[in-house]
Amino acid sequence: MRRRGAAPQPERYLASTVTDRRIGRRAGGPIIERPKVPRTLWGVLWTTFAGVLACLALLIRQTPYTLTAFMFLGQPLLVVAVALFGWRVLQDPRRRGLV
């Protein structure tokens, strides 16, 4: 029952019976599909995470071992993360045909 002056409610659709004929699949999926995150960006995230952990270990307790881990693992991992991210940023417009 509708109240007087109330806006009409949009009708619900049955996802099991509606078919999108243009693409030949059933409708009712997500309106905006979540894009896949490229493997390069996952690599950037994990190398950054590992590099920051080495930095935090050095920040918490300064020992020769944490300094060695920071110098030989932390900094190179952060450099690799920056290089991968920069490479991905430069490649993305080329893949989309913007450059």
Side-chain angles (χ1 to χ4, degrees), residues 37-51:
V37 178
R39 287 185 143 183
T40 311
L41 293 181
W42 282 114
V44 167
L45 287 174
W46 285 110
T47 55
T48 303
F49 180 70

PDB file of all heavy atoms in Angstrom, residues 37-51:
ATOM      1  N   VAL A  37      43.694  -6.160  -9.460  1.00  0.00           N
ATOM      2  CA  VAL A  37      44.920  -5.442  -9.136  1.00  0.00           C
ATOM      3  C   VAL A  37      46.065  -6.184  -9.825  1.00  0.00           C
ATOM      4  O   VAL A  37      46.219  -7.392  -9.643  1.00  0.00           O
ATOM      5  CB  VAL A  37      45.147  -5.393  -7.613  1.00  0.00           C
ATOM      6  CG1 VAL A  37      46.448  -4.700  -7.289  1.00  0.00           C
ATOM      7  CG2 VAL A  37      43.982  -4.702  -6.934  1.00  0.00           C
ATOM      8  N   PRO A  38      46.861  -5.488 -10.631  1.00  0.00           N
ATOM      9  CA  PRO A  38      47.956  -6.160 -11.336  1.00  0.00           C
ATOM     10  C   PRO A  38      48.978  -6.751 -10.376  1.00  0.00           C
ATOM     11  O   PRO A  38      49.154  -6.281  -9.252  1.00  0.00           O
ATOM     12  CB  PRO A  38      48.586  -5.035 -12.164  1.00  0.00           C
ATOM     13  CG  PRO A  38      47.561  -3.968 -12.233  1.00  0.00           C
ATOM     14  CD  PRO A  38      46.732  -4.086 -11.007  1.00  0.00           C
ATOM     15  N   ARG A  39      49.640  -7.796 -10.839  1.00  0.00           N
ATOM     16  CA  ARG A  39      50.649  -8.464 -10.022  1.00  0.00           C
ATOM     17  C   ARG A  39      51.784  -7.524  -9.641  1.00  0.00           C
ATOM     18  O   ARG A  39      52.383  -7.655  -8.586  1.00  0.00           O
ATOM     19  CB  ARG A  39      51.219  -9.666 -10.761  1.00  0.00           C
ATOM     20  CG  ARG A  39      50.282 -10.806 -10.833  1.00  0.00           C
ATOM     21  CD  ARG A  39      50.957 -11.968 -11.471  1.00  0.00           C
ATOM     22  NE  ARG A  39      50.502 -13.174 -10.802  1.00  0.00           N
ATOM     23  CZ  ARG A  39      50.933 -14.349 -11.081  1.00  0.00           C
ATOM     24  NH1 ARG A  39      51.865 -14.507 -11.987  1.00  0.00           N
ATOM     25  NH2 ARG A  39      50.455 -15.403 -10.445  1.00  0.00           N
ATOM     26  N   THR A  40      52.082  -6.589 -10.516  1.00  0.00           N
ATOM     27  CA  THR A  40      53.152  -5.638 -10.226  1.00  0.00           C
ATOM     28  C   THR A  40      52.841  -4.844  -8.965  1.00  0.00           C
ATOM     29  O   THR A  40      53.714  -4.636  -8.121  1.00  0.00           O
ATOM     30  CB  THR A  40      53.331  -4.668 -11.404  1.00  0.00           C
ATOM     31  OG1 THR A  40      53.401  -5.402 -12.609  1.00  0.00           O
ATOM     32  CG2 THR A  40      54.557  -3.815 -11.247  1.00  0.00           C
ATOM     33  N   LEU A  41      51.591  -4.419  -8.832  1.00  0.00           N
ATOM     34  CA  LEU A  41      51.222  -3.635  -7.655  1.00  0.00           C
ATOM     35  C   LEU A  41      51.222  -4.479  -6.389  1.00  0.00           C
ATOM     36  O   LEU A  41      51.546  -3.988  -5.312  1.00  0.00           O
ATOM     37  CB  LEU A  41      49.871  -2.961  -7.868  1.00  0.00           C
ATOM     38  CG  LEU A  41      49.862  -1.876  -8.933  1.00  0.00           C
ATOM     39  CD1 LEU A  41      48.488  -1.249  -9.050  1.00  0.00           C
ATOM     40  CD2 LEU A  41      50.895  -0.819  -8.643  1.00  0.00           C
ATOM     41  N   TRP A  42      50.857  -5.755  -6.511  1.00  0.00           N
ATOM     42  CA  TRP A  42      50.970  -6.641  -5.348  1.00  0.00           C
ATOM     43  C   TRP A  42      52.432  -6.786  -4.944  1.00  0.00           C
ATOM     44  O   TRP A  42      52.766  -6.805  -3.752  1.00  0.00           O
ATOM     45  CB  TRP A  42      50.365  -8.010  -5.624  1.00  0.00           C
ATOM     46  CG  TRP A  42      48.874  -8.008  -5.537  1.00  0.00           C
ATOM     47  CD1 TRP A  42      48.004  -8.221  -6.564  1.00  0.00           C
ATOM     48  CD2 TRP A  42      48.069  -7.770  -4.380  1.00  0.00           C
ATOM     49  NE1 TRP A  42      46.717  -8.123  -6.108  1.00  0.00           N
ATOM     50  CE2 TRP A  42      46.723  -7.857  -4.773  1.00  0.00           C
ATOM     51  CE3 TRP A  42      48.364  -7.480  -3.052  1.00  0.00           C
ATOM     52  CZ2 TRP A  42      45.684  -7.674  -3.887  1.00  0.00           C
ATOM     53  CZ3 TRP A  42      47.307  -7.302  -2.160  1.00  0.00           C
ATOM     54  CH2 TRP A  42      45.986  -7.398  -2.591  1.00  0.00           C
ATOM     55  N   GLY A  43      53.315  -6.881  -5.918  1.00  0.00           N
ATOM     56  CA  GLY A  43      54.743  -6.948  -5.623  1.00  0.00           C
ATOM     57  C   GLY A  43      55.232  -5.686  -4.941  1.00  0.00           C
ATOM     58  O   GLY A  43      56.038  -5.740  -4.007  1.00  0.00           O
ATOM     59  N   VAL A  44      54.731  -4.548  -5.389  1.00  0.00           N
ATOM     60  CA  VAL A  44      55.092  -3.270  -4.766  1.00  0.00           C
ATOM     61  C   VAL A  44      54.642  -3.260  -3.306  1.00  0.00           C
ATOM     62  O   VAL A  44      55.394  -2.862  -2.408  1.00  0.00           O
ATOM     63  CB  VAL A  44      54.478  -2.087  -5.541  1.00  0.00           C
ATOM     64  CG1 VAL A  44      54.562  -0.805  -4.746  1.00  0.00           C
ATOM     65  CG2 VAL A  44      55.154  -1.923  -6.878  1.00  0.00           C
ATOM     66  N   LEU A  45      53.421  -3.701  -3.060  1.00  0.00           N
ATOM     67  CA  LEU A  45      52.901  -3.703  -1.693  1.00  0.00           C
ATOM     68  C   LEU A  45      53.729  -4.606  -0.774  1.00  0.00           C
ATOM     69  O   LEU A  45      54.070  -4.221   0.343  1.00  0.00           O
ATOM     70  CB  LEU A  45      51.443  -4.139  -1.685  1.00  0.00           C
ATOM     71  CG  LEU A  45      50.447  -3.129  -2.229  1.00  0.00           C
ATOM     72  CD1 LEU A  45      49.060  -3.753  -2.301  1.00  0.00           C
ATOM     73  CD2 LEU A  45      50.422  -1.904  -1.352  1.00  0.00           C
ATOM     74  N   TRP A  46      54.037  -5.816  -1.238  1.00  0.00           N
ATOM     75  CA  TRP A  46      54.772  -6.761  -0.388  1.00  0.00           C
ATOM     76  C   TRP A  46      56.216  -6.334  -0.169  1.00  0.00           C
ATOM     77  O   TRP A  46      56.742  -6.485   0.940  1.00  0.00           O
ATOM     78  CB  TRP A  46      54.699  -8.173  -0.963  1.00  0.00           C
ATOM     79  CG  TRP A  46      53.354  -8.786  -0.720  1.00  0.00           C
ATOM     80  CD1 TRP A  46      52.398  -9.057  -1.650  1.00  0.00           C
ATOM     81  CD2 TRP A  46      52.804  -9.166   0.536  1.00  0.00           C
ATOM     82  NE1 TRP A  46      51.287  -9.581  -1.046  1.00  0.00           N
ATOM     83  CE2 TRP A  46      51.510  -9.667   0.305  1.00  0.00           C
ATOM     84  CE3 TRP A  46      53.263  -9.129   1.839  1.00  0.00           C
ATOM     85  CZ2 TRP A  46      50.688 -10.124   1.329  1.00  0.00           C
ATOM     86  CZ3 TRP A  46      52.440  -9.599   2.861  1.00  0.00           C
ATOM     87  CH2 TRP A  46      51.176 -10.087   2.593  1.00  0.00           C
ATOM     88  N   THR A  47      56.877  -5.813  -1.193  1.00  0.00           N
ATOM     89  CA  THR A  47      58.256  -5.370  -0.981  1.00  0.00           C
ATOM     90  C   THR A  47      58.300  -4.139  -0.078  1.00  0.00           C
ATOM     91  O   THR A  47      59.208  -4.015   0.755  1.00  0.00           O
ATOM     92  CB  THR A  47      58.963  -5.075  -2.318  1.00  0.00           C
ATOM     93  OG1 THR A  47      58.205  -4.135  -3.066  1.00  0.00           O
ATOM     94  CG2 THR A  47      59.183  -6.337  -3.113  1.00  0.00           C
ATOM     95  N   THR A  48      57.327  -3.256  -0.213  1.00  0.00           N
ATOM     96  CA  THR A  48      57.259  -2.101   0.686  1.00  0.00           C
ATOM     97  C   THR A  48      57.018  -2.552   2.121  1.00  0.00           C
ATOM     98  O   THR A  48      57.662  -2.059   3.058  1.00  0.00           O
ATOM     99  CB  THR A  48      56.144  -1.139   0.250  1.00  0.00           C
ATOM    100  OG1 THR A  48      56.372  -0.746  -1.100  1.00  0.00           O
ATOM    101  CG2 THR A  48      56.094   0.079   1.132  1.00  0.00           C
ATOM    102  N   PHE A  49      56.118  -3.492   2.290  1.00  0.00           N
ATOM    103  CA  PHE A  49      55.817  -4.011   3.626  1.00  0.00           C
ATOM    104  C   PHE A  49      57.060  -4.633   4.262  1.00  0.00           C
ATOM    105  O   PHE A  49      57.371  -4.366   5.434  1.00  0.00           O
ATOM    106  CB  PHE A  49      54.689  -5.037   3.531  1.00  0.00           C
ATOM    107  CG  PHE A  49      54.294  -5.626   4.843  1.00  0.00           C
ATOM    108  CD1 PHE A  49      53.637  -4.868   5.790  1.00  0.00           C
ATOM    109  CD2 PHE A  49      54.572  -6.947   5.132  1.00  0.00           C
ATOM    110  CE1 PHE A  49      53.271  -5.417   7.013  1.00  0.00           C
ATOM    111  CE2 PHE A  49      54.216  -7.505   6.341  1.00  0.00           C
ATOM    112  CZ  PHE A  49      53.556  -6.735   7.283  1.00  0.00           C
ATOM    113  N   ALA A  50      57.804  -5.438   3.503  1.00  0.00           N
ATOM    114  CA  ALA A  50      59.016  -6.060   4.034  1.00  0.00           C
ATOM    115  C   ALA A  50      60.087  -5.014   4.347  1.00  0.00           C
ATOM    116  O   ALA A  50      60.774  -5.103   5.376  1.00  0.00           O
ATOM    117  CB  ALA A  50      59.543  -7.089   3.041  1.00  0.00           C
ATOM    118  N   GLY A  51      60.230  -4.018   3.495  1.00  0.00           N
ATOM    119  CA  GLY A  51      61.203  -2.965   3.739  1.00  0.00           C
ATOM    120  C   GLY A  51      60.865  -2.132   4.959  1.00  0.00           C
ATOM    121  O   GLY A  51      61.739  -1.778   5.753  1.00  0.00           O
TER     122      GLY A  51
END
